[in-house]
Structure formats: structure tokens, C-alpha cells
């Protein structure tokens, strides 16, 4: 849980809206509209960050709902 919060730069007790906004901010960076001039390496790093952000949000949501 701490890793997930660190990835999204949020606190454990933050509102879900803040967590979702943090996730969206990271994922948006990998948008095709913003990455059209990126190198393959840069694009892969952004996509990896987006995947980690999505995974982190899933972990936080699961913990909040009582699932592990």
C-alpha cells in the first residue's frame, strides 16, 4: 500500500478523488496526442509509468474495499 501511494504521490487517507486525479495525471502523459514526438525509449518509459499508476490505483482501491 505504501508503494502504491508513493507511486501516485498521495497519502493513505487521501480522498479517492485525489488518488484518481493523481493516476490520471500520470496516465495522461502517455497520451498519443502528447507523445507523437517522443522517441521509442521515452514512450516506453511513459507507458511503464502509466501501467504502474494504474496498478497502484487498483491496489489502493482493493485495500479500501477490504480486498487484498
Amino acid at each position: 500500500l505504501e508503494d502504491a501511494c508513493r507511486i501516485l504521490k498521495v497519502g493513505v487517507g487521501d480522498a479517492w478523488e485525489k488518488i484518481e486525479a493523481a493516476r490520471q495525471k500520470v496516465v495522461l502523459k502517455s497520451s498519443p496526442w502528447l507523445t507523437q514526438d517522443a522517441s521509442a525509449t521515452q514512450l516506453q518509459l511513459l507507458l511503464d509509468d502509466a501501467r504502474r499508476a494504474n496498478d497502484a490505483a487498483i491496489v489502493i482501491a482493493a485495500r479500501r474495499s477490504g480486498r487484498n
Side-chain angles (χ1 to χ4, degrees):
L1 182 59
E2 290 94 22
D3 287 341
C5 289
R6 187 173 54 251
I7 288 167
L8 294 177
K9 299 177 184 166
V10 298
V12 174
D14 285 347
W16 180 253
E17 291 79 11
K18 182 175 180 179
I19 293 165
E20 179 58 16
R23 184 197 67 79
Q24 288 178 356
K25 183 178 177 182
V26 174
V27 171
L28 180 62
K29 291 178 185 178
S30 66
S31 165
W33 294 284
L34 299 176
T35 59
Q36 57 192 0
D37 296 328
S39 70
T41 301
Q42 290 170 323
L43 179 58
Q44 190 58 54
L45 290 172
L46 291 168
L47 291 171
D48 289 345
D49 287 347
R51 181 187 45 78
R52 278 191 291 275
N54 285 328
D55 290 347
I58 290 168
V59 167
I60 294 169
R63 292 291 175 95
R64 288 185 171 202
S65 69
R67 297 182 307 240
N68 291 327

